[in-house]
Amino acid sequence: MKVLGRDKLMKFTRKHASAKSALDAWFSETELSEWNTSQDIKDRYCSASFLADNRVIFNIKGNNYRLVVKVRYQKGIVVVEWVGTHADYEKKCF
């Protein structure tokens, strides 16, 4: 998959260094993946949650952080929409 929005991940890890290794691992693994359906994601990330419009929420580092992406399955693209703490996620309306 081609991952767009790495700059958002890097900016976030400057403030939350404890998330860096987990987000780097997610990024690397996602780039090597080929997701054709939501089941491909669920097979690897059983805690992933799925929203309308092909949006996926990943729990990062033991659910301390949340990552929201939009997946364009046919084009092989994952767009990082938002990354934040679990507490910040609870305040947002996705």
Side-chain angles (χ1 to χ4, degrees):
M1 302 299 287
K2 180 175 177 77
V3 182
L4 305 178
R6 186 165 196 182
D7 57 320
K8 291 178 183 176
L9 302 179
M10 292 171 54
K11 182 179 178 183
F12 182 76
T13 59
R14 281 189 219 115
K15 286 181 71 176
H16 301 275
S18 64
K20 184 173 181 3
S21 62
L23 286 170
D24 285 349
W26 176 89
F27 184 90
S28 297
E29 190 170 312
T30 300
E31 278 197 317
L32 296 173
S33 297
E34 187 175 319
W35 297 337
N36 296 304
T37 67
S38 58
Q39 188 61 48
D40 294 333
I41 297 171
K42 199 68 167 169
D43 289 346
R44 171 58 185 95
Y45 298 98
C46 59
S47 65
S49 300
F50 298 88
L51 302 175
D53 202 24
N54 292 324
R55 295 166 92 198
V56 184
I57 303 168
F58 293 94
N59 297 322
I60 303 294
K61 196 174 186 263
N63 206 20
N64 289 313
Y65 304 102
R66 291 280 178 97
L67 173 63
V68 179
V69 303
K70 184 168 186 170
V71 181
R72 298 178 183 156
Y73 295 100
Q74 291 180 349
K75 294 184 178 192
I77 296 172
V78 176
V79 180
V80 174
E81 291 189 341
W82 184 86
V83 61
T85 66
H86 188 102
D88 288 338
Y89 174 83
E90 294 296 325
K91 296 174 191 172
K92 295 198 73 73
C93 293
F94 286 101

